[in-house]
Amino acid sequence: MTQPQWMILAILAATLCLFLYGRWRHDIVAATALLASVLVGLVPADEAFTGFAHPAVITVACVLILSSALLQTGVVDMLAERLLPTEAGPTITIAALVTLSVVLSSFMNNVGALALLMPIALQIARRQNLAPGKILMPLAFGTILGGMTTLIGTPSNLIVSGFRRQMGDGAFDMFAFTPVGVTVAACGVLFVALIGWRIVPARERAGADSFDTGAYLTEARVAANSKAIGMSLREAEAELEGADAQIISLVRNEIRLTAPHTAGPLREDDLVLIEADPETLAKALDSLGLVFGATPTDDDDEEEKEKEKEKEKQAQTSDDDAVGSKTKEQEKQEEQEKKIERSIELDDAELVELVVLPGSSLLSRSASDLNLRERFGINLLAISRQGARIQSRVRHTALRHGDVLLMQGPGDLISEFAANAGCAPLATRALRAPDRKKMIMACTAMAIAIGVTAFNLLPAAISFLLGVVLLMLFRVLPLRKMYEAVDWPVIVLLAALLPVAQATESTGAAKLVAELLMNNVAQGNAIVALGLVLVVTMFMSDVINNAATAAIMCPIAISSANQLNVSADPFLMAVAIGASAAFLTPIGHQNNTLILGPGGFRFGDYWRMGLPLEIVVTLIAIPMLLLVWPL
């Protein structure tokens, strides 16, 4: 093993460990791997950022924008409303829902497809008297299966196609993935609809009025007239037993008490951190006369902010009177003040549950960082994080994707916040009021992009860029929405890992790994080698991002084919299928993470349906690969 080979393998090993550790975001880890490769001389400095110009990266960004147009204009809402049955039993309903999710995720971002169909799935769960997880897990797996079927179904397919183009054989066509992908997806849908949903753990009793988001952690204040005043914590906990809730901690005078039971009787304005199910949360507070809300210190801070704003407003008004017009800053401030007034004065404020999506602007930020009441006129009452107890105070808790937030405020303000912050509603919601003209334009732009790609009139990146330009010309989406539609962490991840993957190939490290696998495991058998590449890729995608998996495995797959003196196409297709088969863990794919809280799942719940599904994928994919892409 040469020095460059062991250096690139060491960087890849460290990168995989950091992916598994999960403390850093995937894009940060990928950027660090690229930097390390440049510093040790494995990637030339002038080629470090060539990944951002890679056709796969451009295509991913364009597809995300086109997908957003289909969502925002109501195209997908209309399809879901018209195609899903309302009177059928659970098997047929789940089959229809999962099939729709496969079709949608074949041509649009699968996270967007899941976010859109999730509220519909929850309605189906209530109508069918099922635990929500029994609908949500099949739905999430369906959106993942759909990514196997087309070139644009998932970023990993675009990466695989890019490696084929670099080999000199040309990129894969738009529907080159379809024969194998559709067959595997169809068998997966049959398994999920007939067997899979039945073995999903039920984390909520049948017949419950709402879905199980796990226990909420919320802050409740001891009001002046509360019967909790003078009670010890043990006495208060005894009162809460009927509401199936428990006290986690106590905050007094902005100080969290590490030994709350020694703090003496409860006092007015104490903050009690309570863990309770959504259905019993109100009952728990009522049993002790506790109330949602900020501490007096927080209220004083808000009053001081309001006074400062009023002074600034008066000063700006005087200046504006002198010039005869208002500034944009004043208009924006007045708009925010109206939101605050609405949130304070409205008696019919709603309680809405939102799930934090991957890529949300809320990630790693807390409610105190966001100034929700000041900026949006809404309040964060509680947080549910399935599988982990939240130890910090609610307003100081850094949010993660998959968290479920209980928001209070006017419905339209909460909807505005959700749209801007990257959250999906989990309650029943009305369909968007579609603009028929924009719906037609969005469908036309997507159809033109797909058609031009399918007939090889233009490369995929140029074809989908054409679709984006059509959206701009016809003003289907505001420019700001287009930029917001791009999942920038995924773009950085792809662009940073592609030069690192090329270094794996150029140093001969990929060839070295392929030789070890082929000689020691496959024993020179091409079919065994193909299955090995598929299985290794599949299990890697269960623990790290599927795009990263594809970038790492493609050079190994090509080298394996070269070692056996067979075509590289089936090996590359095996990587594509394996990278899109992340069903064992909640961290392997964003959609698995997204259903973790709303489904009430635990980390170990996924393998129960995921492992049999991966076996089905393997058993169907290998003969189909050999049939469609002969060795």
Side-chain angles (χ1 to χ4, degrees), residues 286-349:
D286 184 63
S287 64
L288 289 175
L290 305 177
V291 296
F292 285 122
T295 62
T297 303
D298 295 329
D299 292 336
D300 292 342
D301 290 342
E302 290 293 338
E303 290 177 6
E304 289 297 322
K305 289 178 181 177
E306 292 297 325
K307 290 178 182 179
E308 291 176 4
K309 284 184 176 182
E310 186 63 30
K311 291 179 181 178
E312 292 175 0
K313 178 182 175 182
Q314 292 175 357
Q316 289 178 0
T317 303
S318 299
D319 294 339
D320 291 339
D321 290 341
V323 298
S325 63
K326 292 184 177 181
T327 65
K328 291 184 179 179
E329 289 76 9
Q330 183 184 355
E331 292 175 355
K332 183 176 180 181
Q333 182 180 358
E334 289 178 352
E335 182 181 349
Q336 296 299 331
E337 288 173 349
K338 288 179 182 178
K339 289 182 179 180
I340 296 172
E341 291 173 2
R342 287 195 61 200
S343 68
I344 296 172
E345 295 175 359
L346 271 168
D347 295 329
D348 58 346

Side-chain angles (χ1 to χ4, degrees), residues 2-20:
T2 64
Q3 182 179 4
Q5 288 175 342
W6 71 256
M7 290 176 67
I8 190 62
L9 291 177
I11 290 173
L12 286 177
T15 302
L16 290 175
C17 290
L18 289 174
F19 279 145
L20 291 172

Side-chain angles (χ1 to χ4, degrees), residues 400-421:
R400 303 176 186 172
H401 55 263
D403 284 353
V404 180
L405 314 179
L406 183 64
M407 310 299 299
Q408 179 193 47
D412 58 336
L413 297 187
I414 295 178
S415 297
E416 179 185 351
F417 166 76
N420 292 332

Side-chain angles (χ1 to χ4, degrees), residues 243-281:
D244 195 22
Q246 60 179 326
I247 295 176
I248 303 301
S249 185
L250 176 69
V251 178
R252 177 172 292 165
N253 297 326
E254 293 298 307
I255 298 175
R256 181 167 180 167
L257 304 179
T258 56
H261 284 281
T262 63
L266 289 171
R267 306 174 188 173
E268 180 182 349
D269 295 328
D270 279 352
L271 273 181
V272 182
L273 275 68
I274 297 177
E275 189 176 61
D277 291 331
E279 293 83 359
T280 61
L281 187 56

Side-chain angles (χ1 to χ4, degrees), residues 414-541:
I414 295 178
S415 297
E416 179 185 351
F417 166 76
N420 292 332
C423 297
L426 294 181
T428 303
R429 65 199 170 97
L431 295 176
R432 299 174 180 87
D435 184 324
R436 296 292 176 182
K437 181 179 178 181
K438 289 185 177 181
M439 288 175 63
I440 294 173
M441 293 300 178
C443 291
T444 301
M446 178 63 92
I448 290 174
I450 293 173
V452 171
T453 302
F455 289 103
N456 293 318
L457 300 178
L458 291 172
I462 304 301
S463 300
F464 286 94
L465 180 60
L466 172 62
V468 172
V469 171
L470 291 176
L471 294 181
M472 294 180 182
L473 292 177
F474 293 112
R475 298 183 179 180
V476 177
L477 287 180
L479 288 177
R480 177 177 59 86
K481 290 291 184 182
M482 290 188 179
Y483 283 101
E484 290 175 356
V486 178
D487 191 346
W488 293 109
V490 171
I491 298 301
V492 173
L493 170 72
L494 295 178
L497 277 185
L498 286 172
V500 178
Q502 289 299 320
T504 308
E505 178 69 27
S506 61
T507 59
K511 181 179 179 181
L512 180 66
V513 173
E515 289 176 350
L516 291 173
L517 291 175
M518 296 307 104
N519 296 333
N520 298 330
V521 181
Q523 301 292 325
N525 188 304
I527 296 177
V528 174
L530 181 66
L532 182 64
V533 169
L534 173 63
V535 172
V536 170
T537 305
M538 190 180 295
F539 279 99
M540 281 186 63
S541 68

